[in-house]
Amino acid sequence: MSETEKAKALLNNVLETRRHSSCPFSPELEQMFYGHCLSVAYISEKIASAARNLNPEKSYILGLLHDAGRIKDEKNEGTFHGLTGFDYLIKNNMPDAARIAFTHCFYEPRLNLSMYRMKPQDYVRSRELLKTMSFNDYDYLVQLADILNDCGRQCTIEYRFDSVAKRHNLNNEIVSASVRRLNELKSYFDEKCNCDIYDLLEIDQKISV
Ligand SMILES: [Fe+2]
């Protein structure tokens, strides 16, 4: 089995396990979640193909599995998907994907640590795990790709945060710090790809929430 096939099988297992858990997705949410994973995989691969130093197949796999932590329902089961995904993928012998399942949550580490409502022991574990890591281009790539779509539809950073802020009642400080940091990441990859990432992905910059 190739690494890509293994990643697809693991994502199917995430869906199947969640479906039979005490907190399953509704059919609509499952569809949206699956669409989101495919979209992040596609965006990661597309940017990696245009950049100079990233492996497109590896990027696709990392994007596909970045939200494997959704195997549990964060809200109802009191888990943090960054750690759940990390543990799930370590157990399945996918250390690079495990790392991304954790790091994609921390595009702005200090802000993100306080933003997620995680249990005290998960907070401490996340803080300590972050100290052991220095982010690389794959971490940055999936952090950005995760934001360039909303429920599976490709969009700008600003659109994504408008939509998320409305859904989750985020305060302005979080939204503006997040948008600022993600635009820095976008500029980083614009330069690497020698083009505007929005043009590369054919993202309509005029649509608003
Ligand atoms: Fe995601």
Side-chain angles (χ1 to χ4, degrees):
M1 195 191 274
S2 72
E3 282 289 289
T4 302
E5 284 166 348
K6 184 178 175 188
K8 286 179 178 168
L10 284 173
L11 182 59
N12 279 333
N13 184 55
V14 167
L15 292 169
E16 194 64 22
T17 304
R18 181 76 187 261
R19 215 173 279 144
H20 295 101
S21 74
S22 55
C23 306
F25 283 124
S26 67
E28 299 75 37
L29 272 182
E30 183 184 301
Q31 211 37 51
M32 268 205 276
F33 169 72
Y34 185 58
H36 172 70
C37 297
L38 291 179
S39 186
V40 175
Y42 168 81
I43 293 169
S44 301
E45 182 185 36
K46 186 101 180 164
I47 296 175
S49 299
R52 284 178 292 273
N53 61 334
L54 293 162
N55 177 306
E57 190 194 354
K58 176 176 174 174
S59 301
Y60 181 89
I61 291 169
L62 298 178
L64 195 68
L65 291 174
H66 80 284
D67 262 345
R70 303 288 183 194
I71 195 167
K72 290 198 171 153
D73 183 330
E74 210 166 51
K75 211 163 153 202
N76 289 308
E77 299 185 75
T79 51
F80 168 49
H81 79 284
L83 288 173
T84 306
F86 179 82
D87 291 337
Y88 171 75
L89 292 165
I90 287 288
K91 202 175 78 193
N92 284 285
N93 206 18
M94 299 283 272
D96 291 344
R99 176 192 168 99
I100 297 293
F102 178 71
T103 63
H104 86 275
C105 303
F106 296 100
Y107 52 81
E108 177 68 278
R110 230 160 2 121
L111 174 84
N112 300 140
L113 258 180
S114 60
M115 199 174 97
Y116 295 113
R117 293 177 195 99
M118 54 178 111
K119 288 187 291 198
Q121 62 266 42
D122 284 348
Y123 178 90
V124 171
R125 189 175 165 216
S126 294
R127 197 187 55 199
E128 295 309 307
L129 196 53
L130 274 171
K131 280 187 201 160
T132 69
M133 295 175 174
S134 68
F135 290 170
N136 61 38
D137 281 352
Y138 290 102
D139 298 310
Y140 296 138
L141 175 69
V142 181
Q143 286 169 353
L144 179 64
D146 187 28
I147 302 299
L148 293 181
N149 79 95
D150 193 51
C151 307
R153 189 172 105 175
Q154 291 185 54
C155 65
T156 62
I157 293 163
E158 286 76 8
Y159 179 99
R160 167 74 172 170
F161 273 95
D162 268 4
S163 168
V164 171
K166 283 198 178 103
R167 276 203 305 272
H168 299 288
N169 225 353
L170 292 185
N171 71 44
N172 286 344
E173 197 191 333
I174 290 179
V175 171
S176 55
S178 299
V179 167
R180 193 171 48 241
R181 172 61 189 146
L182 285 151
N183 271 305
E184 282 173 13
L185 284 179
K186 177 181 173 289
S187 300
Y188 180 68
F189 284 103
D190 283 348
E191 199 174 313
K192 267 190 176 303
C193 299
N194 203 19
C195 68
D196 187 320
I197 295 296
Y198 289 154
D199 293 337
L200 179 75
L201 297 167
E202 298 180 41
I203 288 175
D204 182 352
Q205 295 182 53
K206 289 188 209 78
I207 50 162
S208 55
V209 177

